[in-house]
């Protein structure tokens, strides 16, 4: 998977640059070997790293791949509830990396075809705490090769992004993709419009919130005119943002669709058509189908292919429930396919209890449980409300006394992580429920 580290593309002092610090492939390999050696010596079976945007995080992930030990990247601001759950559930040992420690020798690159768990990424479902998604090296390699083909992504590129390093977008595509294609990587630390504009890259990744903020800053958008390809994903790119980016930068942003469990499966192509509201066609090796009611054109998107996860860690029932009896993965997304050219359109999600805010996937149930842990809260219902900046923003309806909305927001941010905090708290006398006791969230929103 780590073709760049084999010397296939030569070396340079600034091969990988993260939040203002640069390193060569040789130095990165040395630091990763030191991590790999420690993992092997300690007999570690899974390890966790505080996944700040840093060279240490890159070295840790690469070290895990060298040692064949799965890495669990922790959101760096995860509070005690989220962090404790992830560490207990995965059994991972927290490892600290000193990038200055280098090892000349160590476990060599694993032979092609070795197929253990490479990453365990925690992601939210509609209820309960996040589940560990087990991704193998071969699934990741298959996805990156398919994307390199679709985007004509190679060692002549400079990839720029500023996305978090504990999810598929920033870590798998944004770091491992660069190390497999040999493209230079510039991680901007934060994904600000000014940092993207200053980076001088050829290939840019962003979630829609990032593109929307760039489109609102015409100077930064215009500075991307010299790039080769701008790619959006992790949530739907609003049509006005697509059009503003085209007007300001001359680029029609290419959209691609994916999930933690499936990696990226559907995408537009470099040089191919790009239309707002569409996510392109399946990547080579991926087969999709729409499970629609008779006569309907939209339905659940289901898929198969070599990029799919190996299961939810320790949860065979949840893994089984995520598949159809004939073995297709159920995405939970509602989609439509244009019969003339196979272009896919993501129309929405089957469940309103999975929220996408700023490209982060957040389970309503997880935020509700955190709110209910507050001694002053007796009932809570959490929804995603349309938001021009974030796609959806988290709104919490609570029955509570003697506490302010700000205090509840801070409570969730501190216990889970900042991006799971409600952006708005509404106090209500009661939560409307159906006969089963399930909150009727639509009534709350209409009220
Ligand atoms: C504010 N902050 C608080 C707070 N209020 N912290 C604690 N308590 C409070 N009450 C702080 C935050 O910590 C942060 O600090 C700052 O305010 C800004 O908050 P934010 O929510 O982080 O920033 P925001 O501007 O809303 O973020 C927008 C964003 C972010 C686009 C930068 O949403 C983002 O990075 N999204 C990317 C998500 C992603 O990569 N998803 C991919 C999933 S994979 P500080 O100091 O930290 O700034 C996937 C597959 C696929 O979906 O298809 O790709
Ligand atoms: P995650 O597991 O965080 O990767 O979130 C996956 C979800 O993000 C998918 O199930 C979709 O709902 C959503 N998603 C990803 N890419 C797109 C896209 N291009 N358009 C619409 N939704 C998307």
């Amino acid at each position: 998977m780590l073709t760049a580290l084999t010397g296939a593309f030569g070396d340079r002092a600034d091969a990988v640059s993260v939040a203002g610090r640069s390193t060569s492939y040789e130095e990165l390999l040395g630091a990763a070997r030191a991590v790999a050696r420690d993992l092997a010596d300690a007999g570690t079976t899974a390890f966790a790293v505080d996944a700040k945007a840093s060279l240490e995080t890159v070295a840790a992930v690469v070290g895990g791949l060298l040692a064949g030990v799965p890495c669990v990247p922790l959101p760096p601001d995860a509070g005690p509830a989220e962090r404790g759950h992830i560490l207990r559930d995965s059994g991972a040992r927290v490892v600290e990396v000193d990038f200055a420690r280098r090892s000349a020798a160590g476990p060599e690159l694993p032979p092609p075809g070795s197929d253990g768990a490479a990453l365990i990424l925690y992601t939210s479902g509609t209820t309960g705490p996040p589940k560990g998604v087990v991704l193998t090296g071969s699934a990741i390699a298959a996805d990156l090769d398919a994307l390199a083909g679709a985007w004509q992504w190679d060692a002549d590129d400079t990839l720029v992004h500023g996305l978090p390093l504990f999810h598929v977008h920033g870590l798998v595509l944004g770091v491992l993709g660069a190390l497999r294609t040999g493209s230079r990587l510039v991680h901007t630390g934060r994904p600000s419009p000014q940092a993207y504009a200053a980076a001088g890259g050829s290939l840019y990744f962003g979630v829609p919130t990032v593109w929307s903020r760039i489109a609102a800053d015409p100077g930064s958008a215009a500075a991307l005119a010299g790039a080769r390809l701008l790619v959006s994903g992790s949530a739907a790119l609003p049509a006005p943002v697509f059009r503003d980016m085209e007007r300001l930068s001359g680029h029609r942003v290419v959209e691609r669709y994916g999930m933690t469990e499936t990696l990226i499966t559907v995408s537009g192509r470099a040089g191919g058509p790009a239309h707002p509201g569409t996510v392109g066609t399946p990547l080579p090796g991926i087969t999709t189908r729409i499970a629609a009611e008779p006569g309907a054109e939209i339905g659940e998107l289901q898929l198969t292919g070599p990029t799919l996860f190996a299961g939810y860690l320790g949860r065979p029932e949840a893994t089984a429930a995520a598949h159809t009896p004939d073995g297709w993965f159920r995405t939970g997304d509602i989609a439509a396919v244009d019969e003339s050219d196979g272009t896919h359109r993501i129309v929405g999600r089957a469940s309103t209890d999975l929220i996408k805010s700023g490209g982060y996937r957040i389970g309503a149930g997880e935020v509700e449980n955190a709110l209910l842990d507050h001694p002053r809260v007796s009932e809570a219902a959490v929804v995603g409300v349309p938001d021009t900046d974030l796609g959806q923003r988290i709104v919490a309806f609570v029955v509570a006394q003697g506490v302010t909305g700000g205090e509840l927001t801070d409570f969730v941010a501190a216990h889970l992580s900042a991006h799971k905090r409600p952006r708005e708290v509404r106090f209500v006398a009661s939560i409307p429920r159906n006969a089963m006791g399930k909150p009727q969230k639509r009534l709350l929103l209409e009220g």
Side-chain angles (χ1 to χ4, degrees):
M1 190 187 307
L2 306 167
T3 316
L5 300 185
T6 64
F9 307 110
D11 205 357
R12 51 198 158 202
D14 60 353
V16 176
S17 164
V18 184
R21 281 162 67 210
S22 296
T23 192
S24 66
Y25 292 138
E26 194 189 337
E27 286 170 348
L28 173 58
L29 184 58
R33 278 183 173 141
V35 173
R37 174 156 284 193
D38 288 351
L39 292 173
D41 287 351
T44 307
T45 50
F47 73 105
V49 58
D50 269 306
K52 296 190 239 347
S54 66
L55 290 178
E56 285 74 15
T57 300
V58 175
V61 171
V62 172
L65 290 171
L66 295 181
V69 179
C71 177
V72 181
L74 292 167
D77 68 338
E82 183 164 334
R83 192 184 166 90
H85 164 70
I86 294 176
L87 292 177
R88 272 192 309 278
D89 190 73
S90 63
R93 175 170 79 87
V94 180
V95 163
E96 296 212 7
V97 174
D98 174 0
F99 199 79
R101 266 189 65 224
R102 311 263 163 76
S103 177
E108 284 310 316
L109 294 169
S114 54
D115 202 18
L119 292 173
I120 304 172
L121 302 184
Y122 275 78
T123 193
S124 301
T126 52
T127 57
K131 298 189 280 289
V133 173
V134 179
L135 296 170
T136 63
S138 67
I140 294 170
D143 203 51
L144 295 175
D145 289 349
L147 290 173
W151 300 338
Q152 298 167 19
W153 178 9
D154 63 26
D156 291 332
D157 277 309
T158 294
L159 170 65
V160 178
H161 72 92
L163 298 167
L165 299 188
F166 47 93
H167 283 309
V168 161
H169 199 162
L171 182 59
V172 175
L173 275 63
V175 172
L176 299 181
L179 295 178
R180 188 156 176 90
T181 58
S183 65
R184 238 187 100 216
L185 169 63
V186 178
H187 188 291
T188 58
R190 298 275 304 171
S192 74
Q194 298 74 22
Y196 272 43
S202 61
L203 175 62
Y204 283 80
F205 292 166
V207 296
T209 301
V210 169
W211 294 121
S212 160
R213 293 179 184 181
I214 292 174
D217 182 29
S220 294
L224 304 185
R228 186 177 69 74
L229 190 68
L230 313 183
V231 183
S232 179
S234 305
L237 183 71
V241 176
F242 179 98
R243 285 194 285 269
D244 286 347
M245 283 305 299
E246 182 171 27
R247 181 170 51 79
L248 295 165
S249 73
H251 287 287
R252 291 171 77 82
V253 175
V254 165
E255 258 201 274
R256 92 295 179 293
Y257 161 86
M259 284 186 82
T260 308
E261 290 89 337
T262 64
L263 302 178
I264 308 309
T265 48
V266 182
S267 180
R269 306 293 194 269
H275 298 291
T278 64
V279 295
T281 54
L283 292 170
I286 303 291
T287 314
T288 64
R289 71 182 184 195
I290 303 287
E293 301 288 325
E297 282 175 5
I298 64 168
E300 186 186 36
L301 180 67
Q302 301 180 346
L303 39 87
T304 62
T307 67
L308 265 56
F309 71 141
Y312 295 113
L313 187 69
R315 286 181 171 75
E317 305 82 17
T319 305
H323 291 83
T324 63
D326 58 343
W328 292 59
F329 180 75
R330 311 178 48 146
T331 65
D333 288 305
I334 307 300
V337 178
D338 185 323
E339 294 211 340
S340 65
D341 62 3
T343 299
H344 285 47
R345 210 155 43 84
I346 307 299
V347 183
R349 275 206 71 85
S351 169
T352 52
D353 283 336
L354 262 194
I355 299 167
K356 265 273 161 163
S357 187
Y360 285 113
R361 168 170 153 189
I362 300 146
E366 189 188 0
V367 181
E368 286 159 2
N369 289 340
L371 287 165
L372 290 170
D373 279 341
H374 192 284
R376 302 259 173 201
V377 175
S378 54
E379 291 186 67
V382 165
V383 296
V385 170
D387 185 277
T388 48
D389 179 45
L390 297 170
Q392 289 183 300
R393 72 173 179 282
I394 302 177
V395 175
F397 292 85
V398 295
V399 179
Q401 244 124 38
V403 64
T404 67
E407 282 163 355
L408 291 178
T409 294
D410 291 346
F411 184 79
V412 174
H415 277 66
L416 300 177
S417 45
H419 66 268
K420 293 181 177 167
R421 72 188 186 277
R423 304 285 170 137
E424 194 184 329
V425 177
R426 296 191 199 162
F427 292 90
V428 289
S430 64
I431 305 275
R433 294 177 188 273
N434 67 13
M436 311 285 292
K438 206 171 173 294
Q440 292 180 294
K441 295 190 176 178
R442 240 171 273 280
L443 288 183
L444 279 171
L445 285 169
E446 285 160 8

